[in-house]
Amino acid sequence: MKITAFNGSPRAEKSNTQIMLEAFLEGARDAGAQTETVFLAKKSIRHCTGCFACWTKTPGRCVLKDDMAELLELYRGSDIVVLACPIYTGTVTGLMKDFLDRSIPLADPHFKKSAQGLWGHVERYERLPETVILSNCGFPEQEHFRYFRSCFQYLSDIGGMKIIAEVYRGGGEILSVDSLLLKPLLYGYKRTLRKAGREVAEKRALSAALKEELEKPLIPPDRYIEEANKYWDKLLAKVPKSS
Ligand SMILES: Cc1cc2nc3c(=O)[nH]c(=O)nc-3n(C[C@H](O)[C@H](O)[C@H](O)COP(=O)(O)O)c2cc1C
């Protein structure tokens, strides 16, 4: 089984998204999956120009010459794709949005009604990968994923995406904090992510017990905010008075 993760954080290898992804993919590899990670920040992906040439002039191919053709081949050749991306202003990063927009060559312009009763586009290819959504955000509560998750739910509702698992981590900045006190906590969370990766690779779904475990706060939200404010204060104290 081939799993390809597309990491849409501008921080690429240094991202909290990548910390989550590494643990998740490790679990998938435990179950025998072959995994690959693509950092969108390291690729050339231009904005979609809305010309629809990929539907009407060169069906299935975008006329823009950048890395997207190669990425769509990788996408199509995978059994599962992980769309991994932090929350930026309530939704996906610009990198991930460009990647999603530029995925429209995977669809055919004709319309069909989805299982949810909404008109969407016909899929160009018979076989498309199943999708896992993985994200973290700065604010502590899981409720902050409401809008982000509904964006992907929409893509699923119109028929172009089959979401098999969602992994969200509020208060995600804690993942990259290097502190002895936090080590056991973060180790425990990574172990849960690893279990999730294994389960998804084995069963193409997450059990109710693991879903519940993944949603639990790592530390109480008030405590997280207190520590975050101290962190900002420390950084701001270094700013020269004239700035
Ligand atoms: C431009 C920008 C917008 C952001 N918007 C939100 C937001 O709407 N909600 C939130 O909870 N966090 C927000 N954050 C915080 C990030 O989600 C947080 O820093 C996250 O840990 C970054 O993950 P990464 O290291 O994987 O890139 C924002 C960060 C940036 C830079």
Side-chain angles (χ1 to χ4, degrees):
M1 178 198 291
K2 169 90 198 258
I3 302 183
T4 308
F6 295 93
N7 180 335
S9 167
R11 293 173 175 171
E13 291 101 331
K14 296 198 170 95
S15 60
N16 295 313
T17 301
Q18 188 57 17
I19 292 173
M20 294 174 69
L21 205 46
E22 266 167 19
F24 182 87
L25 294 179
E26 206 173 330
R29 286 192 295 272
D30 291 344
Q34 182 204 338
T35 69
E36 181 171 351
T37 301
V38 174
F39 296 102
L40 299 184
K42 305 241 158 118
K43 298 287 176 185
S44 159
I45 305 174
R46 291 166 63 190
H47 303 305
C48 174
T49 61
C51 70
F52 285 130
C54 64
W55 281 355
T56 57
K57 295 203 169 112
T58 52
R61 272 188 302 116
C62 180
V63 288
L64 298 176
K65 299 290 168 245
D66 58 13
D67 291 332
M68 249 338 259
E70 165 208 324
L71 296 188
L72 288 185
E73 278 304 302
L74 204 54
Y75 186 100
R76 282 184 55 209
S78 307
D79 299 294
I80 296 177
V81 292
V82 185
L83 300 180
C85 179
I87 291 190
Y88 269 24
T89 46
T91 183
V92 293
T93 59
L95 286 168
M96 181 57 80
K97 185 63 168 68
D98 278 336
F99 176 75
L100 293 172
D101 290 347
R102 292 286 305 285
S103 300
I104 67 157
L106 297 176
D108 172 288
H110 298 93
F111 298 94
K112 75 162 189 197
K113 218 165 214 176
S114 73
Q116 301 301 318
L118 289 173
W119 288 106
H121 290 292
V122 171
E123 282 143 38
R124 184 175 300 280
Y125 304 100
E126 251 175 53
R127 188 186 160 281
L128 272 184
E130 294 176 307
T131 306
V132 173
I133 311 294
L134 181 146
S135 180
N136 89 96
C137 74
F139 294 133
E141 302 95 345
Q142 295 298 94
E143 182 64 14
H144 291 280
F145 293 96
R146 187 178 36 182
Y147 180 60
F148 179 96
R149 110 186 284 169
S150 73
C151 294
F152 287 102
Q153 192 57 53
Y154 171 77
L155 298 178
S156 161
D157 286 349
I158 60 171
M161 186 179 277
K162 186 180 174 211
I163 299 172
I164 54 168
E166 294 165 88
V167 179
Y168 300 123
R169 178 73 273 145
E173 285 290 6
I174 206 176
L175 298 174
S176 46
V177 173
D178 187 15
S179 136
L180 264 183
L181 280 176
L182 286 176
K183 265 211 165 89
L185 194 79
L186 297 183
Y187 177 79
Y189 180 59
K190 285 185 199 165
R191 212 173 41 193
T192 308
L193 286 170
R194 188 167 172 170
K195 270 192 216 162
R198 183 176 188 126
E199 235 181 63
V200 164
E202 282 174 351
K203 302 183 184 144
R204 310 262 177 145
L206 280 179
S207 63
L210 206 44
K211 276 187 199 167
E212 197 184 323
E213 189 66 30
L214 285 164
E215 287 291 305
K216 286 186 187 159
L218 295 182
I219 61 171
D222 289 354
R223 177 81 207 290
Y224 174 87
I225 294 296
E226 207 180 295
E227 292 300 323
N229 278 336
K230 277 192 213 157
Y231 169 78
W232 295 123
D233 285 343
K234 211 163 123 186
L235 290 186
L236 287 168
K238 292 184 191 152
V239 179
K241 288 275 178 282
S242 54
S243 310

